[in-house]
Amino acid sequence: EEGEVVMIQGTANPKVRIVIEGELEVLRDGTLTYVLEKGNFVSESGLHAGLLLSGSMEACGSIVVGPPFDYPSGEKKQQQNNHHDNNVQKNESSRRNKVRVLTWDRTELVQLLEADKGLRNSLKAALSWDIVRKLKTQRHMLVDGRVK
């Protein structure tokens, strides 16, 4: 639900997540700095570099479920509308940012990665691409004025 807190900056976080649906806002010192979208990993610290750090990691920002975003260009909104029946009119007030994430316990995930080199390499590759995607997306979000 909108306003739900996933993580609080400075607290221990024992989970690794991937966004399956919706968007999460990342706040650093109370300022919106990033938006995580479908396919983005959350709290993957070090895993992209092959560092198999188990246990909890300190959250460097707060993550909350924000309101749905209206894209200024209309491009992404048009793509989203293509998935709906054209004969059905959506009531704008009923729009919600439904968020689903897949969650792993970090220690259990590290144990699995230590036992399976192929899975470890595949996840490392996916995380590396996720970082590239996040950097490109953040640049667009800055230009659009979506984040500070």
Side-chain angles (χ1 to χ4, degrees):
E1 288 291 318
E2 190 174 317
E4 183 178 343
V5 177
V6 177
M7 255 189 302
I8 297 174
Q9 182 176 337
T11 61
N13 175 39
K15 306 292 183 191
V16 175
R17 300 171 175 91
I18 185 170
V19 179
I20 302 298
E21 179 181 1
E23 297 177 340
L24 296 170
E25 294 182 343
V26 179
L27 302 146
R28 177 109 172 132
D29 299 325
T31 300
L32 178 64
T33 58
Y34 199 78
V35 177
L36 297 166
E37 301 176 316
K38 180 179 178 178
N40 284 141
F41 284 88
V42 184
S43 304
E44 72 280 10
S45 304
L47 292 175
H48 69 282
L51 299 174
L52 299 179
L53 305 171
S54 60
S56 295
M57 298 289 122
E58 183 178 315
C60 61
S62 295
I63 299 179
V64 299
V65 177
F69 180 72
D70 289 321
Y71 291 85
S73 66
E75 180 179 316
K76 191 159 187 175
K77 188 170 186 171
Q78 179 61 39
Q79 292 172 355
Q80 291 169 341
N81 287 341
N82 289 340
H83 292 90
H84 299 290
D85 183 355
N86 291 333
N87 296 326
V88 176
Q89 295 293 321
K90 293 195 96 178
N91 180 351
E92 288 298 315
S93 65
S94 70
R95 288 182 53 224
R96 292 190 182 156
N97 181 16
K98 180 180 177 185
V99 175
R100 292 187 311 145
V101 295
L102 181 60
T103 304
W104 296 274
D105 176 85
R106 186 179 191 91
T107 299
E108 291 175 6
L109 178 60
V110 166
Q111 290 170 350
L112 181 61
L113 296 174
E114 288 173 337
D116 188 332
K117 185 177 180 181
L119 180 61
R120 180 172 61 239
N121 290 338
S122 295
L123 182 60
K124 186 177 174 182
L127 290 169
S128 295
W129 279 111
D130 181 54
I131 289 171
V132 171
R133 181 173 168 236
K134 284 176 182 174
L135 291 171
K136 289 174 76 174
T137 301
Q138 187 176 35
R139 184 178 65 174
H140 291 291
M141 290 179 184
L142 286 165
V143 169
D144 289 344
R146 189 170 176 193
V147 298
K148 296 179 184 178

